[in-house]
Amino acid sequence: MIKLDAHHHLWKFDPKEYGWIDENMQALRRDFLPADLHAVMTAAGISGSVAVQARQTVEETRWLLDLAGQNDFMKGVVGWVPLADPKVGAVIDEFAANPKLRGVRHVLQDEPDENHILREDFNRGIRELARHRLTYDILIFERHLPQTIRFVDQYPKQVFVVDHLAKPRVKYKAISPWREHMQELAKRDNVYCKVSGLATEADHKKWTEEQLEPYIDTVLSAFGPRRVMFGSDWPVCLLALSYGRWVDIAGRATAKLSTAEQQRFWSETAVEAYGLK
């Protein structure tokens, strides 16, 4: 079975450039480059990947695209562009000339305005994505789901991917209202979901696999295997578990699916959502 990792990061660590990696995240305070990723992927039986932005600069987007051009296993890049900039169309045109740019993401979860996703300047940038059939990755916390539903309803033909199951409050064993909001969001056929970044939303030292199961089961039921994909969130996942352990957990969580459904989860959903070659 072909397996892809639809969500990982790469960086040359600089504390000024990656301010969100604080002193409590020692496991992340070093370089993570394609060779490092390829080693853990290969050991876990993963053959391809999608790199996702970790810094909100066009320089990082350009760097990720260069790395993807040098490494065949990197099938696509979800980069960052200044969506609220009136001239963002020209920036998108430049990057979209590279066939490995498959999507765009903005770190909405860190915006001080809880309704940033509904702002007109931000949405003007979202409308530019359609010209190049670029996917938009939605990075939010659970509390942003009501606004997100209103947001996606404006774009029935735009492909969206929800990162990290919209970050439910796993640490507090809270399932509602996250579950009900995700079930509502899943009614939109143009929205996909990544099973990624879940253990890091739990207590990093005390979480259990059983604690994660209700969240994975919820998205598999709501979106169906056709619109759910695997992502490692490496190296951020290292705060809570190893790459290989997360692959094993995802395998057990999806073992009850048919072979065809498992193939969707492990690769075909990502290929479809991002238009991977």
Side-chain angles (χ1 to χ4, degrees), residues 192-237:
Y192 296 76
C193 183
K194 284 180 187 173
V195 173
S196 59
L198 197 55
T200 48
E201 295 306 307
D203 185 307
H204 292 173
K205 295 182 179 179
K206 297 179 180 179
W207 65 272
T208 66
E209 185 171 340
E210 291 72 26
Q211 193 178 354
L212 308 183
E213 289 174 357
Y215 302 96
I216 300 175
D217 288 345
T218 292
V219 297
L220 283 172
S221 175
F223 289 85
R226 193 187 70 77
R227 288 187 289 134
V228 176
M229 67 187 82
F230 170 79
S232 69
D233 198 28
W234 180 92
V236 180
C237 69

Side-chain angles (χ1 to χ4, degrees), residues 136-197:
Y136 182 73
D137 268 43
I138 301 173
L139 177 60
I140 56 171
F141 288 120
E142 170 188 339
R143 67 177 183 269
H144 299 116
L145 279 167
Q147 302 95 302
T148 298
I149 292 169
R150 291 169 57 193
F151 165 71
V152 300
D153 277 347
Q154 300 176 70
Y155 307 99
K157 295 183 179 181
Q158 170 67 46
V159 175
F160 295 104
V161 177
V162 179
D163 290 348
H164 313 326
L165 297 82
K167 294 198 168 186
R169 293 170 294 147
V170 183
K171 185 176 182 179
Y172 304 100
K173 300 180 180 178
I175 195 75
S176 293
W178 169 84
R179 175 177 55 201
E180 291 75 20
H181 288 319
M182 289 295 278
Q183 289 169 340
E184 177 62 31
L185 181 59
K187 293 177 182 178
R188 285 81 180 159
D189 289 340
N190 57 320
V191 182
Y192 296 76
C193 183
K194 284 180 187 173
V195 173
S196 59

